[in-house]
Amino acid sequence: MGFQTEFNSVCKFKSEQELFELLEYGRGKMVKQGFRVFPTGQKVIAYTPDNVAVAIVKIVASIAEINFQGHEVTEVEMLLIRKLDEEESRVQTKLADEMFFGEQAQG
């Protein structure tokens, strides 16, 4: 048991449905396995399950708890600031792959 700190500019969705709700309604949440620390109050880049940068979001809440099934989970609530345009998405996606996702896959 322990907290895992998230990369401070990454908010990666594992669920397409959670991402869709954020982009459609401007507000959403995601649930992550394990205890994690998200930068509440900060703006971060949101990524699809395929590691593509799609939006700037603001983390408004990060709640780590043990759920009814006894699993450690973190629920993250966020507001959509804006969607990224094609060029911004391309650059952010490439940088995140080099800085975070690519190394994680290799490590």
Side-chain angles (χ1 to χ4, degrees):
M1 176 158 76
F3 283 89
Q4 175 181 346
T5 302
E6 290 299 308
F7 184 64
N8 69 355
S9 64
V10 170
C11 189
K12 181 180 174 183
F13 283 82
K14 296 279 188 198
S15 163
E16 290 284 349
Q17 182 62 36
E18 290 172 339
L19 178 59
F20 170 79
E21 290 173 7
L22 173 71
L23 297 176
E24 184 70 18
Y25 304 114
R27 184 174 198 99
K29 69 177 183 177
M30 68 176 171
V31 177
K32 296 285 218 171
Q33 297 301 314
F35 289 150
R36 297 168 184 255
V37 177
F38 281 82
T40 304
Q42 291 186 19
K43 293 177 186 175
V44 298
I45 304 294
Y47 290 82
T48 68
D50 296 329
N51 299 340
V52 175
V54 292
I56 298 172
V57 299
K58 182 175 183 179
I59 306 295
V60 294
S62 178
I63 304 158
E65 63 185 1
I66 297 176
N67 65 14
F68 291 117
Q69 292 80 31
H71 299 112
E72 297 172 353
V73 296
T74 301
E75 185 174 301
V76 183
E77 296 179 15
M78 62 204 77
L79 295 172
L80 176 66
I81 301 300
R82 70 177 178 85
K83 294 179 184 178
L84 298 178
D85 66 29
E86 189 175 313
E87 178 68 7
E88 290 170 328
S89 175
R90 186 186 66 74
V91 170
Q92 288 291 339
T93 298
K94 188 169 180 146
L95 288 171
D97 183 61
E98 182 178 333
M99 294 173 60
F100 183 67
F101 298 129
E103 287 197 14
Q104 192 176 47
Q106 295 169 6

